Amino acid sequence: MNWVKNHFESYFIKTDDATVLYNYAEIISFVESQNYSRIAKDEFARVSDSWIIAFAKAYNATLVTEENDKRKGKVKIPSICDRFGVRHINTFNLLRELKIQLN
């Protein structure tokens, strides 16, 4: 733990600040108002997806996900990102943006 604090502490950001909490509440309220099943709504609130989107919105971060809108019956990360103006890309686009070349 000390090694992490000494070398990487600046890379860690608290995720429970007021802006993240506000965004989370806004996202959950939106999902609750939509025509998703009760199971899908509960799962979205329970798993980290909703919190990660709230964090990305608060910090104007890009969310990297392999999830797409094709799977039915689930609250999908790209759909919620689009609704709340959160940029999202997949892993291949991330690698391209970072100019990482695989040989």
Side-chain angles (χ1 to χ4, degrees), residues 1 12 15 22 43 46 55 57 63 82 90:
M1 183 68 157
F12 292 92
T15 65
Y22 175 84
E43 178 187 11
R46 186 181 68 252
F55 180 87
K57 184 175 189 302
L63 200 148
D82 290 343
N90 65 29

Side-chain angles (χ1 to χ4, degrees), residues 21-35:
L21 293 169
Y22 175 84
N23 291 342
Y24 176 78
E26 187 178 33
I27 289 166
I28 294 299
S29 292
F30 170 75
V31 168
E32 284 293 328
S33 73
Q34 299 303 299
N35 193 25

Side-chain angles (χ1 to χ4, degrees), residues 61-89:
T62 299
L63 200 148
V64 180
T65 181
E66 292 303 315
E67 190 173 82
N68 60 48
D69 287 337
K70 294 177 184 173
R71 189 169 160 207
K72 300 292 181 202
K74 182 178 188 254
V75 181
K76 295 156 197 89
I77 292 172
S79 298
I80 303 303
C81 284
D82 290 343
R83 170 66 173 84
F84 286 91
V86 174
R87 182 173 181 257
H88 59 92
I89 59 175

Side-chain angles (χ1 to χ4, degrees), residues 2-42:
N2 286 335
W3 180 80
V4 171
K5 280 188 168 190
N6 291 335
H7 293 78
F8 298 101
E9 188 169 20
S10 65
Y11 291 95
F12 292 92
I13 302 171
K14 292 185 71 136
T15 65
D16 61 350
D17 68 33
T19 306
V20 176
L21 293 169
Y22 175 84
N23 291 342
Y24 176 78
E26 187 178 33
I27 289 166
I28 294 299
S29 292
F30 170 75
V31 168
E32 284 293 328
S33 73
Q34 299 303 299
N35 193 25
Y36 295 108
S37 72
R38 179 80 261 149
I39 292 170
K41 291 176 183 181
D42 290 346

